[in-house]
Amino acid sequence: MTTQRNILWFLLVLAAWLLSFGVQANDVYPTVSPTMTVTGDGHIDEEATEYGGNAPMYAVFRANPQDLGDYEALYEWRFTRQNETDPFLVRYDQDTDYRFTESGSYYVELRVSFVLGTDTIEYAQDTPFSISINESILEFPNAFTPNDDGANDVFKAKDTYQSIVKFNAKIFNRWGKLLYEWNDPAGSWDGTFHGRDVPDGAYYLNCQADGADGRHYSIKKTINLLRRYEENTGAIE
């Protein structure tokens, strides 16, 4: 009789221990660790929690789930403009990406529902990712001096340009012949045509561009090529 009681007691202790082990195992709940990786305006695949700069900016958002176990994760990425409550875009993938081309401030937040049978665990990102896109600026100088002195040797947009999402610039001579064309605001013209220097004088710029703030630029102006200009003295050689 004593032996049976000992066996029963052992089985009860064992069952309690196994139950305790199961509860401890279930104490590890699924979660995520969202990240944003930014490419644009000097950032190249750089992980950040916020961004302030120019458009276009490309961002990749990853959920990075952990300890899922048998849970199914239902993802919801919410893209919202500042001072608005309803998102303008919702994505339901684990990872997603977006190209920001409009000026303004944005928030990107991840929400997740972890589901296992009738058990659901809700996750909401504590601090959404913050993105601020500058308004556009685009200006050009009136002249350049391609004389290989290391200063003002190419014709290009001023370095103050920002948030230009579409760009096309063309250079014509006085007879309307197209000499050069480029499609990036960071590009430039070196004062040559088919590899040969063009003569000093007046040329014509026609630039059409769009800014992230919806502004359209139509810049048409005469530019002066002064190859014999000496930057240090401000005089013609």
Side-chain angles (χ1 to χ4, degrees), residues 86-150:
D86 295 329
F88 67 89
L89 176 66
V90 178
R91 298 269 181 82
Y92 298 100
D93 301 314
Q94 175 178 316
D95 301 328
T96 190
D97 58 77
Y98 190 78
R99 188 173 183 264
F100 293 87
T101 59
E102 297 182 9
S103 62
S105 296
Y106 304 85
Y107 299 102
V108 181
E109 174 193 15
L110 174 62
R111 298 182 182 182
V112 187
S113 296
F114 299 102
V115 180
L116 178 59
T118 59
D119 182 22
T120 300
I121 301 173
E122 300 289 348
Y123 168 90
Q125 190 173 346
D126 291 333
T127 304
F129 298 113
S130 174
I131 297 100
S132 180
I133 303 296
N134 295 330
E135 293 184 350
S136 66
I137 297 175
L138 181 63
E139 298 176 319
F140 286 89
N142 296 319
F144 74 118
T145 58
N147 52 15
D148 296 325
D149 66 352

Side-chain angles (χ1 to χ4, degrees), residues 163-182:
S163 290
I164 300 300
V165 298
K166 187 176 181 181
F167 178 93
N168 175 263
K170 298 176 181 178
I171 301 292
F172 299 89
N173 64 14
R174 67 182 66 185
W175 297 282
K177 183 178 181 61
L178 177 64
L179 303 181
Y180 192 71
E181 178 178 8
W182 68 105

